[in-house]
Amino acid sequence: MKGNDVGGESSSRKFKVDARVLLSLGRESIKDQTTALMELVKNAYDADAENVQIEIPEESDVEQILRIKDDGLGMSSNDINEKWLRIGYSHKRVNRLTSQKGRRATGEKGVGRLSADRLGAALELRSRTQGQSVAVAVDWDDFDVDGAELGSVSVKDLVNVHPELPTRSSSKGHGTELIISKLRQSWSSDEIESLEVELSTLIPPDSPFGKGEFSIWMKKGKGGELQSLVAPFTEDSQLEMHGDFDATGRLSYRITEKPIKPGGKRHQVKQGKIPWLKLSGAKEAAKFDIGRVSISLKFYLRAGVSLKEFNIADLREYLDTYGGVRIYRDNVRVKPYGDPANAEGDWLGLSARKTSNPAAASRKGYRFSANQLMGSVFIGRDSNPLLKDSAAREGLVHGHGYSQLRAAVLSSINLLEVIYHERFTKSKGDGGSPDETLPDVVGDIKAGLKEVREELAKVGQGGAGTANDSASRLLLSSVEKIDDIAKRVLQAEREIEDLAGQATVYRGLATVGISSAVFGHETESALAQAKISTGLAQKLLGRDVPKIEAGLGEIAKASRAIERVSVWGQFALARVKKDKRRRVRVDVSKIILHLVEEMRPLFEASSIELKANIKSVLEMRAFQMDIEALTLNLLTNAYYAAGRSVKNRKVLVEVVKGTSEHSSLIIVVEDSGPGIAKEHISQIWAPLFPQGQMIKAGLLERAWVFQSFNPSLRK
């Protein structure tokens, strides 16, 4: 007896691979034909090509054939057999630097070559290296057969066929040509235009490889001319920032500004170094661990500025086409980040940031618009191992590494926004006190009028300085007029209070919207669970012999998931009930305790412990919706911040009597999150400020007063 076999010898088994597996790895796993073509161009880059030439048919062309030529290293007959025809094998995993140029291989999964199947049913590969040529023909539809094993499908050799190399190449006869026919779909003019933009941004403009060592050429249609695909470059940016995060997350940056006078040189406005602990407030458990990252950012004004290279209309078109913050890994672009035409391109949420806070540059919370920024983020496979490819060859896995990269880039953008706000404010002069509220102004007017009225009344009653009866009558008349003004001020105050009631509704709705975005993952996961469970239930109950108990179990899971969605919907609607929009005397402690109980399941779903320390009845005259909106904002912020910790996620809510003579109650929300850097303290009250913070809110009878303090969660 051998092994675990009983009554006989042990045996071994082998996997068999169905020929149809190539369909799953090729045409069925690639999003679109633009992505497929980009994969083949990146293969040419890995082959150390200096030139790639693409000949793409237009819809009107009779001959629908796509050609891709490069002057890379080429392949020998042995390379075809041992590398190209071995699915899943990639020599790039072993030989990461493919040549003396030092390029890091962009593909390591060994399936990029199957992108040709997404483009067309027939492929002819011609390659030449070391003075010898080899050519093969593949009909991808031959693999679309049920029951056939992968090795049973033949790939034909072609005899006496040599590759045609790029026209502009200075290569000494080595390179590869791909000829793809029986196209899966035609290329429309819009798709070709989009492809041109994609290819022109494949290599960053400020990379060494963007200066002639890797050039992409395109010929559109049978009678088209060969054109170089290079993204236009302009120095008309108002501010530029170049920053480097080292292995510990310390940011070293330099910011330059466009010269005011025509013909002047860019000049430095600020440089410095900020440790990650100060920039993000990260604790040891959330330390910077994604490796070195470099960032280049350019901010443009889209109006009211003199330009060196473009007119304003051309600049706007340029930004609408090439704007956005792109990610480049090993100097090759990672899609779809930074693509203005793609909803997923705004990976930093720049549009949402601006929409939530459309303040002008004179305000502290100023935010750049998405169409005002151009940027490049540089990472590497070896230097940033936590930033991994998604399975679909487009984008990065949205895990810890991606979240940290996003936080680093947003911190850099925020720093640039602060600098621009400071420069703008300095150039325009101090515009007064933008933080003074309308109730403050009305209060000052009321107090001043009262004082003047009392003084004039004394004079009118025969006090010092009265010359005659005429003067007395004049003064009394003034008192009456001032009294009328005071009444109008009181009327204005009542109108303001009505507006405040409306604003309360809007604040409540905005708060629910913000919270819905933050807690959205919980409802999304619940819906996904419901979908999976209902699908499994259908299969279990639809069998010839139904598995009733298992099916009922899945239905129960779906019901619980739908209930979680229902709870959030009821919670959101409860925030804006009509009875909460009236200013009455309310028990703040009871309101907040109820809110905490409603939100506890949402926190627990993300392994965050939510506790409340409220022991006494604390009453005040206020809008219940305002109290809920304020607390919900703080809890949402704390949820975001605590979620950035790896372990010991906690949030504590307290309500206590105010210690100062002005405040009646203090609401405290503390979290175990990373806190906030002092460089950003002046901006933490800006809507949707991107980092979590711990804050204390003092409630007055007529206004909310906020105060920032250092994070220190009580145990």
Side-chain angles (χ1 to χ4, degrees), residues 536-543 545-552 555:
L536 288 173
Q538 283 181 317
K539 290 182 179 180
L540 290 167
L541 299 175
R543 292 183 174 185
V545 181
K547 293 189 175 183
I548 297 176
E549 289 188 10
L552 290 174
I555 291 173

Side-chain angles (χ1 to χ4, degrees), residues 44-63:
Y45 176 88
D46 287 348
D48 219 16
E50 292 184 0
N51 295 276
V52 175
Q53 181 173 319
I54 301 165
E55 297 178 9
I56 190 166
E58 295 179 323
E59 287 182 294
S60 58
D61 290 343
V62 176
E63 189 178 41

Side-chain angles (χ1 to χ4, degrees), residues 206-497:
D206 41 4
S207 163
F209 295 112
K211 299 178 181 178
E213 291 191 25
F214 186 70
S215 300
I216 303 174
W217 304 80
M218 179 182 285
K219 179 181 177 182
K220 294 179 289 185
K222 184 176 181 181
E225 296 182 357
L226 200 61
Q227 296 179 335
S228 175
L229 300 184
V230 179
F233 183 77
T234 174
E235 295 182 358
D236 282 322
S237 57
Q238 195 69 20
L239 287 180
E240 289 186 11
M241 174 181 177
H242 295 278
D244 293 288
F245 288 89
D246 65 15
T248 68
R250 181 177 64 174
L251 172 65
S252 300
Y253 67 91
R254 178 176 180 266
I255 297 175
T256 60
E257 187 176 35
K258 177 184 174 183
I260 298 176
K261 296 181 180 180
K265 295 182 178 180
R266 299 193 70 88
H267 57 277
Q268 178 175 300
V269 296
K270 192 166 186 177
Q271 67 174 352
K273 297 181 180 180
I274 307 177
W276 180 247
L277 289 175
K278 291 185 177 181
L279 188 66
S280 70
K283 292 187 176 181
E284 185 65 23
K287 65 182 180 181
F288 191 88
D289 56 5
I290 59 172
R292 298 176 181 272
V293 175
S294 294
I295 297 175
S296 174
L297 297 171
K298 295 177 173 61
F299 164 65
Y300 296 84
L301 293 174
R302 294 173 63 95
V305 60
S306 60
L307 301 173
K308 179 180 179 181
E309 298 169 286
F310 290 175
N311 60 45
I312 197 67
D314 290 340
L315 177 64
R316 290 173 181 170
E317 182 180 357
Y318 169 76
L319 292 172
D320 291 342
T321 303
Y322 296 100
V325 180
R326 293 175 168 84
I327 297 178
Y328 290 90
R329 183 168 50 193
D330 299 310
N331 287 318
V332 176
R333 186 181 166 204
V334 181
K335 289 183 63 181
Y337 309 115
D339 183 358
N342 191 319
E344 299 175 359
D346 188 10
W347 62 291
L348 297 168
L350 298 179
S351 295
R353 288 170 84 246
K354 184 64 176 179
T355 300
S356 67
N357 184 19
S362 58
R363 309 288 291 191
K364 288 182 179 179
Y366 175 66
R367 295 284 179 260
F368 294 151
S369 297
N371 60 7
Q372 289 181 292
L373 270 181
M374 277 188 67
S376 303
V377 180
F378 300 97
I379 59 176
R381 277 178 174 76
D382 301 327
S383 57
N384 308 103
L386 292 180
L387 300 173
K388 300 181 181 297
D389 278 332
S390 66
R393 298 191 195 94
E394 184 165 299
L396 303 171
V397 174
H398 287 198
H400 164 70
Y402 175 82
S403 297
Q404 200 167 77
L405 176 68
R406 191 173 179 275
V409 178
L410 280 170
S411 296
S412 302
I413 292 173
N414 184 249
L415 179 60
L416 193 62
E417 289 167 335
V418 170
I419 298 301
Y420 180 69
H421 161 71
E422 292 174 353
R423 305 293 293 177
F424 181 87
T425 304
K426 184 177 180 181
S427 66
K428 299 296 182 182
D430 188 0
S433 177
D435 297 325
E436 188 177 30
T437 65
L438 188 56
D440 292 335
V441 175
V442 173
D444 290 343
I445 293 174
K446 286 171 60 181
L449 286 174
K450 181 180 179 181
E451 183 179 347
V452 172
R453 187 180 65 175
E454 290 175 352
E455 291 179 354
L456 289 177
K458 289 180 181 179
V459 175
Q461 292 170 2
T466 303
N468 49 46
D469 292 341
S470 177
S472 178
R473 286 194 299 273
L474 179 61
L475 290 174
L476 287 172
S477 176
S478 298
V479 170
E480 292 176 357
K481 291 179 180 178
I482 293 173
D483 192 53
D484 288 339
I485 294 173
K487 291 178 180 178
R488 294 184 66 183
V489 170
L490 289 173
Q491 181 184 358
E493 185 181 31
R494 285 193 292 270
E495 292 178 357
I496 289 172
E497 182 134 341

Side-chain angles (χ1 to χ4, degrees), residues 179-198:
I179 303 173
I180 300 172
S181 56
K182 299 181 183 178
L183 301 187
R184 303 289 184 193
Q185 64 187 92
S186 60
W187 289 80
S188 67
S189 57
D190 288 341
E191 288 175 319
I192 293 176
E193 185 176 341
S194 176
L195 176 64
E196 288 181 277
V197 174
E198 294 280 358

Side-chain angles (χ1 to χ4, degrees), residues 622-679:
F623 293 101
Q624 181 176 341
M625 185 183 288
D626 265 348
I627 295 171
E628 289 186 350
L630 171 66
T631 309
L632 181 56
N633 262 316
L634 301 185
L635 285 171
T636 301
N637 212 25
Y639 173 89
Y640 168 80
R644 296 176 65 192
S645 298
V646 177
K647 55 184 179 180
N648 297 326
R649 298 174 172 180
K650 298 180 181 180
V651 173
L652 174 65
V653 182
E654 290 183 298
V655 181
V656 297
K657 290 183 178 180
T659 55
S660 88
E661 60 180 353
H662 300 295
S663 60
S664 58
L665 296 177
I666 301 292
I667 294 178
V668 182
V669 177
E670 303 182 41
D671 64 65
S672 59
I676 192 167
K678 65 179 182 180
E679 286 83 358

